Structures are given as C-alpha cells and as structure tokens.
Amino acid sequence: MKVTFLGHACILLEIGQTGVLVDPFITANEKAAGKVDITDLNPDYILITHAHQDHILDVESICKRSDSVIVSNYEIAMHYEAKGFRVHPMNHGGSWSFDFGKVKYTNAIHTSSFPDGSYGGQPGGFIISSGKKQVYIAGDTALTTDMKLIPLTYKLDLAILPIGDNFTMGIEDAVMAADFVSCNTVLGYHYDTFGYIEIDHEKAVKKFKEAGKMLHLLPIGDSITI
Ligand code: NI
Ligand code: MN
C-alpha cells in the first residue's frame, strides 16, 4: 500500500490498481500550490472523515471527472447522493468490504458541519485493511480513550494522526494516541496549513522519538510504502 501526503489532511492510498483519496483540500491550500494538480487525481473512491471545508473542498470537482464513489457517514453520503454522485453511506463502528479492502468508520471527537452550516453527521476516521496491511486515518479528533479499542482488533502498520493542535490533538496528545492504538509508525497531518496549526517539526519528531516512535512529516507529494 502506497500512502501519499497531498497536504493538510489529504491522503492518497494506492492499493493495487485502486486509488483511494481521503479528504481532498488542495485548490485552496497555498502550501500545495504547484505541488499537487487535482487533474492528476483519478481516485476510484473518495473517503470523507467529516464535512468541514478543509476536508471536502475538492470532492465534487474530482468526483465529476473521476466518477469516484464517495464513502462517508450517512449524512455526508446523502448530501452528495442528492447532488447525483455515487455514494456508500457508513456510520460509526460499522465496516464494509470494498474491492480494495475493508473499511471501518471509527469514532472521532470533533464537529462536522458543512461550510453553509448544514448538518454533516458526526465526525469520524477510517481504518483501512488490505491484504496484511492496516492503516488508521484518525480524521480531525481529540485524544480519546476510544482509540484503545482499535488494537483489540487491529494490528496497525501506520497511524495517520492530526498533530497541529488548536482544532485537533497536538503533538503530546498524538504521542499518547499512538500508544492507545499500539502503533509506533505515525504519519503526522493537519499541521502548518494555517497560522493556528503551525508546529515545530524538530520538536515533534523528538517527542515521538523519546517515546520510541517514528514520526513521518512528509513534504507534500511524498509517499511512504507500508
Ligand atoms: Ni474539522
Ligand atoms: Mn480540519
């Protein structure tokens, strides 16, 4: 499984021939300008953790071109189905086997309104299992003891955790989250995009290292393979 960081909270998973894009926010992300071209993205699926603008901005334009299936909570799925898109609704604690692997919609502590204020269900995250590989994409969330449930069933190869603080967990809580989900390999996301969430990269990597964990902070467009 190839995992590519496309800036902010946008992740592309390439699983065999299948492209799974998560939370596309590219065209208004100044940090991604010149590094990611959304017309290069042709995902089979778009997973959406919650309805905030910085997670859904480019869903419609990518979907129109690629005819991707949108996977999210029930309310977000219905929002896009009403606009004519193909969707697969889920809700917390539920999983479904797609052609590329199994997806579970996990709990997150956050909010989830659409940019116009309409209801976007409750926010979540995803665990994607494919072959022997398992990756957790936490979504925007606080540290929560719900995360301790994950390693009872999953042996994660990678945890993708928000680390920018202010709107989500910060570095110290993300170190604890990595403990809760029993995963020593972490990809940090949801940092540096706006003033509120700028972090000290060196300090972040050091905090994880002191806890015996590896924090990846990928340049936009870079990948890791698990
Ligand atoms: Ni959010
Ligand atoms: Mn966000």
Side-chain angles (χ1 to χ4, degrees):
M1 193 188 301
K2 188 177 169 195
V3 180
T4 304
F5 177 59
L6 297 179
H8 194 51
C10 184
I11 300 288
L12 176 66
L13 304 177
E14 288 167 89
I15 306 169
Q17 294 304 307
T18 305
V20 180
L21 184 67
V22 186
D23 287 356
F25 173 76
I26 295 156
T27 53
N29 182 1
E30 284 170 22
K31 308 257 178 198
K35 294 175 186 158
V36 187
D37 180 350
I38 61 162
T39 61
D40 291 339
L41 301 172
N42 286 292
D44 301 281
Y45 296 88
I46 299 180
L47 273 52
I48 305 172
T49 61
H50 66 294
H52 286 161
Q53 174 88 334
D54 59 317
H55 298 257
I56 64 160
L57 181 72
D58 296 312
V59 167
E60 293 191 21
S61 61
I62 294 170
C63 219
K64 268 181 196 147
R65 194 167 27 76
S66 309
D67 195 28
S68 330
V69 176
I70 294 170
V71 181
S72 192
N73 70 31
Y74 182 79
E75 289 78 7
I76 292 173
M78 291 306 107
H79 169 93
Y80 286 110
E81 189 178 64
K83 293 182 171 210
F85 295 106
R86 296 194 294 149
V87 302
H88 180 106
M90 298 187 73
N91 224 323
H92 300 91
S95 35
W96 184 260
S97 291
F98 293 88
D99 53 6
F100 62 88
K102 197 172 164 191
V103 174
K104 182 165 190 163
Y105 193 58
T106 60
N107 297 346
I109 296 190
H110 193 67
T111 54
S112 178
S113 47
F114 282 98
D116 68 359
S118 62
Y119 182 54
Q122 297 294 311
F126 296 101
I127 299 169
I128 295 116
S129 312
S130 187
K132 288 201 164 79
K133 300 298 177 185
Q134 303 190 322
V135 54
Y136 171 47
I137 301 175
D140 287 10
T141 183
L143 178 66
T144 162
T145 52
D146 286 351
M147 292 167 176
K148 291 185 177 180
L149 297 173
I150 291 173
L152 301 182
T153 350
Y154 295 93
K155 200 175 175 308
L156 299 177
D157 297 282
L158 177 69
I160 302 178
L161 304 175
I163 57 170
D165 217 336
N166 191 73
F167 296 117
T168 67
M169 298 187 282
I171 295 158
E172 283 84 2
D173 283 357
V175 170
M176 255 189 277
D179 260 337
F180 285 5
V181 301
S182 292
C183 186
N184 287 332
T185 309
V186 173
L187 173 62
Y189 79 163
H190 212 278
Y191 65 93
D192 282 3
T193 320
F194 330 108
Y196 289 125
I197 60 174
E198 279 168 8
I199 64 161
D200 179 336
H201 293 209
E202 239 172 73
K203 181 187 150 203
V205 170
K206 189 163 164 268
K207 288 270 179 195
F208 276 81
K209 201 174 176 189
E210 283 166 3
K213 299 176 193 307
M214 171 75 192
L215 173 67
H216 294 276
L217 298 176
L218 293 179
I220 293 174
D222 275 24
S223 307
I224 47 177
T225 299
I226 57 164

